[in-house]
Amino acid sequence: MSEQALSTTDHDRDSAGLRYVYPVISRRAGGVSVGINLNPNNACNWRCLYCQVPNLSLGSAPPVDLPLLEQELRGFLHELLHGDFMASRVPEGMRRINDIALSGNGEPTSAAEFAEVIALVGKLKTEFGLAEQKLVLITNGSLIHRDNVQQGLRRMAECNGAVWFKLDRANEAGMLAINDTRTTLTKVRENLSTAISLCPTWIQTCWFACDGNAPAAEEEDAYLDFLFGLLSDGIRPQGVLLYGLARPSLQPEAARLSALSLAHLERFAERIRSVGVGCQVSA
C-alpha cells in the first residue's frame, strides 16, 4: 500500500493498491470516505463533461469478484481502525471514517452483482461496528428501474444508506450537452421517485460555466420547475447537494469548463431553498 499522504484533492482510485477499495479525504465531510470502485474498467453509460476518469469508455461494470471485494474491504477497514493508516496518511482533524461510498470510475449500479455488493458491505459495516457510518451510493440514477438495483437500495435503507442521485440539468437538451445522455426527463423523474421511495435520496448537482458562460437563467428556471413538480406530487428528496468544479476534467472538453464563484452557487442555492428544498453548497 502506498505511503503517500492523502489530501482532499487526491481521489486516485489506485492509492491503496487494491482493485476495488480506495480511500478519499472528503472535504465536505471532514473525514475518510472508504470508496468502492465497481468500474475498474473505466466504463460508464454516461460521459459527463466534468468527469475525472481517464480513458473513459462507454460500457458497464465488469463482473465483480465478490470474495476479492470482501477481502479488500475487510482488510482495509481493519487497517483504518487498528493499523497506522490514519496516523501516517490522513491529516489531523480528519482521522475518522465518515462513510463507505460506492462511486468509482463508472456507474456502480451497472454491476450485475450490485445487490450482493450492498449485502456484503452491510455485513462488514455490522462486523466492524460501523452502523452509524453512512453507506452512500453516488449514481446517475439511469438504472434504478432494474430489480437488482432496487433490491440493493432496499438493503441500503436498512444499513444507514443514502443515494446521491445526479441531476446536473433538468431538461433534455441540457442533459445531452452536459452528461452525453439521451435519457428523457420523464425517465429521470420516474427513477428519482423510485429511489426516494426505497432509500433516503439526495439530488447531486454539478453547476459550472461552459465556454465562459454560467448556466442561463432558463436552466435555473427549468431546474426549479422540476423540483416544484416533485414536491407538488409528494415526492420529496432529502435535499440538494450543489457543488462546483473542484478538480480538472479529464474529458476532451476540459478546457471549455470553469468553476463558478461560491457567491454564484449560493445565489442559486437560495433559489432552490425558496422552492422548499434544502440545499448544501460545496464550491
Side-chain angles (χ1 to χ4, degrees):
M1 188 178 292
S2 168
E3 295 301 320
Q4 180 179 354
L6 297 175
S7 73
T8 57
T9 59
D10 179 9
H11 287 209
D12 182 5
R13 317 294 194 218
D14 298 320
S15 59
L18 303 173
R19 178 173 175 81
Y20 295 114
V21 178
Y22 63 98
V24 169
I25 304 299
S26 173
R27 72 186 192 280
R28 283 181 271 190
V32 176
S33 177
V34 179
I36 297 177
N37 177 21
L38 300 183
N39 302 75
N41 59 345
N42 293 8
C44 189
N45 62 341
W46 286 18
R47 191 186 68 83
C48 301
L49 299 191
Y50 54 82
C51 183
Q52 294 110 24
V53 175
N55 304 312
L56 185 67
S57 63
L58 182 65
S60 301
V64 178
D65 184 336
L66 290 167
L68 177 60
L69 173 57
E70 180 169 4
Q71 174 187 322
E72 289 188 357
L73 185 55
R74 176 177 277 112
F76 192 67
L77 290 175
H78 185 274
E79 173 64 21
L80 287 178
L81 292 168
H82 305 295
D84 66 355
F85 186 93
M86 289 288 195
S88 64
R89 298 194 57 195
V90 178
E92 277 193 71
M94 293 193 174
R95 292 172 182 167
R96 53 182 285 271
I97 299 176
N98 182 70
D99 59 51
I100 299 174
L102 280 85
S103 177
N105 290 7
E107 174 51 43
T109 62
S110 68
E113 302 84 0
F114 179 76
E116 291 89 340
V117 169
I118 298 301
L120 169 60
V121 176
K123 180 184 78 171
L124 292 181
K125 281 185 79 224
T126 299
E127 181 180 318
F128 282 90
L130 299 173
E132 296 304 311
Q133 279 71 18
K134 283 285 186 185
L135 171 56
V136 178
L137 168 66
I138 302 174
T139 176
N140 62 32
S142 62
L143 304 176
I144 283 175
H145 59 281
R146 293 182 174 179
D147 288 343
N148 72 312
V149 178
Q150 294 182 21
Q151 291 172 22
L153 296 191
R154 290 187 187 95
R155 175 61 179 142
M156 283 185 63
E158 297 170 356
C159 51
N160 200 22
V163 176
W164 292 6
F165 188 112
K166 183 192 300 291
L167 180 71
D168 295 323
R169 300 294 183 270
N171 56 63
E172 289 165 16
M175 290 186 290
L176 179 59
I178 301 301
N179 308 119
D180 198 13
T181 176
R182 295 187 180 277
T183 191
T184 66
L185 195 60
T186 297
K187 188 63 177 176
V188 170
R189 192 181 193 278
E190 289 174 354
N191 281 344
L192 177 57
S193 176
T194 298
I196 290 170
S197 73
L198 296 174
C199 185
T201 298
W202 293 78
I203 295 173
Q204 185 184 38
T205 299
C206 189
W207 211 247
F208 55 91
C210 191
D211 298 323
N213 299 313
E218 292 81 6
E219 293 280 7
E220 289 195 9
D221 292 344
Y223 189 97
L224 298 174
D225 287 346
F226 180 83
L227 292 181
F228 184 78
L230 292 177
L231 299 184
S232 296
D233 289 337
I235 304 167
R236 178 168 288 277
Q238 298 294 302
V240 171
L241 304 173
L242 180 67
Y243 68 108
L245 294 179
R247 301 179 303 281
S249 167
L250 292 180
Q251 304 313 306
E253 298 85 356
R256 299 175 54 203
L257 313 183
S258 57
L260 297 169
S261 68
L262 178 59
H264 188 115
L265 295 177
E266 285 287 1
R267 283 195 297 271
F268 184 33
E270 278 303 312
R271 295 196 70 195
I272 292 170
R273 295 175 189 128
S274 72
V275 174
V277 179
C279 184
Q280 298 180 15
V281 177
S282 180

